[in-house]
Amino acid sequence: MDQAVTAARDGALLVVGDIVTDVVARHRGPLATGTDTAAAVRTLPGGAGANVACWAAHSGCADVRLLGRVGADAAQWHERELVAAGVRPRLVVDREATTGTVICLVDTGASAERTFLTDSGASLRLEPADWSDALLDGVARLHLSGYLLFSEPSRALAEVALAAARERGVPVSLDPASAGFLLEFGVDRFLAFAEGLDVLLPSRDEACLLTGLPEPVDAAAKLSRLVPLVVAKSGVAGALVARSGAVVARVPAVSATPLDTTGAGDAFTGAFLAALLTGADPEEAAAQGCRAGARAVERVGGRPPHRRPTHRGTGGQGVPPGRPDPEVTP
């Protein structure tokens, strides 16, 4: 399985994960409890899985596919935004739940740190019935959003997708996604799932939580005894690349003036996977990830700028001429 970490290339990236609507509120200083706090508020497309897919396409991956579940309330908008970002979406429309929504509270101080209020909605209602092994046709890498593990239906789908990828020899990566949800889910349960992965991309806090170790270097090294390749994202401290129980590279961060840190880790992951698909080694791929993360924090929201304009003359679907219509299934 170790060879699969770097061998897969010249194929598509399939991302399975969450698609949500982000309501980003940028405020300065502490929130004034019980009264008003002035803020700049924007509604933007988001979701860790969708953000990873968009950043992979933005970083040069020619064929990025995304499986996700949305509510009927916002399906067409999310479809248009994904296509405009260069992603081929396969959206399952949930007739019972609305699209997931995340309120992102961003302190406009120097760190631009953010706090999330999350209503997962339809995003974590993905289920095994939404999966088909045919989704792996032409796919060189499968990436799973860690948010999938935090509900029973989507966790069952993640297990089915992981098994199908292993059967075909397709390398699988996962980003744990949320230290808060991870703690609630349980470290042991997460690590049991992680045994089937080829690449794990935790944040510094997630790596320490998963190992019980206070130092990110030690945590990344320990995790790499379980997963062949571990890349721990450490924000302004860059990234750590670990294999076989040892950190083999320390990749420096790229200087940036943060505006909003929402999606910075997703940007790293998307660019990292895109680089692997072009044949980069993990250290160079991590450097590409750091560059994407730096670009991400200088933007509001979790997505890169669109690769191509959204065209109008396509029945309102925003599909560029000459590109197959994305699949939207009930």
Side-chain angles (χ1 to χ4, degrees):
M1 186 162 62
D2 192 35
Q3 290 182 342
V5 170
T6 55
R9 53 187 299 184
D10 300 326
L13 170 66
L14 172 62
V15 179
V16 181
D18 46 315
I19 304 166
V20 305
T21 300
D22 283 344
V23 179
V24 181
R26 300 178 62 246
H27 61 94
R28 180 171 294 279
L31 295 173
T33 303
T35 185
D36 295 321
T37 299
V41 181
R42 293 180 63 185
T43 300
L44 300 166
N51 293 346
V52 167
C54 290
W55 279 100
H58 183 74
S59 300
C61 188
D63 188 353
V64 182
R65 310 171 190 180
L66 174 68
L67 172 64
R69 195 175 183 100
V70 293
D73 59 310
Q76 291 191 349
W77 177 58
H78 279 290
E79 177 192 329
R80 286 195 300 269
E81 290 294 321
L82 289 163
V83 170
V87 175
R88 296 174 57 187
R90 187 175 191 275
L91 305 186
V92 180
V93 179
D94 195 311
R95 301 299 176 183
E96 298 180 6
T98 58
T99 303
T101 302
V102 175
I103 298 175
C104 311
L105 304 176
V106 182
D107 189 333
T108 58
S111 67
E113 192 53 75
R114 75 279 189 272
T115 300
F116 297 145
L117 301 176
T118 302
D119 177 358
S120 298
S123 67
L124 297 191
R125 285 166 54 92
L126 272 172
E127 58 186 6
D130 299 326
W131 175 261
S132 166
D133 287 356
L135 290 168
L136 291 173
D137 292 348
V139 168
R141 287 188 172 274
L142 169 65
H143 178 73
L144 303 174
S145 168
Y147 280 110
L148 294 171
L149 301 184
F150 304 140
S151 81
E152 285 191 25
S154 57
R155 182 166 63 253
L157 176 136
E159 291 168 350
V160 169
L162 176 60
R166 288 176 62 85
E167 181 69 23
R168 292 199 185 195
V170 174
V172 183
S173 56
L174 182 141
D175 185 326
S178 168
F181 284 167
L182 186 58
L183 185 60
E184 184 178 335
F185 176 66
V187 167
D188 290 343
R189 294 175 73 193
F190 180 89
L191 293 176
F193 182 88
E195 288 184 16
L197 301 173
D198 299 279
V199 183
L200 183 65
L201 294 132
S203 70
R204 173 187 55 209
D205 291 344
E206 291 157 0
C208 292
L209 174 61
L210 287 170
T211 59
L213 298 173
E215 295 298 326
V217 172
D218 297 333
K222 183 175 180 178
L223 286 170
S224 70
R225 299 189 188 103
L226 178 71
V227 181
L229 176 63
V230 173
V231 181
K233 299 169 286 187
S234 299
V236 295
L240 302 168
V241 180
R243 287 178 179 272
S244 303
V247 170
V248 296
R250 299 171 185 249
V251 181
V254 174
S255 178
T257 301
L259 189 63
D260 175 10
T261 57
T262 303
D266 303 332
F268 180 105
T269 296
F272 175 85
L273 295 173
L276 288 186
L277 279 165
T278 61
D281 62 37
E283 183 175 354
E284 173 54 31
Q288 296 282 6
C290 286
R291 285 191 279 273
R295 292 195 297 272
V297 301
E298 295 185 327
R299 296 177 54 80
V300 175
R303 300 275 181 92
H306 287 165
R307 281 179 52 185
R308 55 176 65 84
T310 300
H311 294 266
R312 294 294 181 186
T314 54
Q317 296 303 303
V319 182
R323 190 177 184 89
D325 287 348
E327 299 177 63
V328 181
T329 60

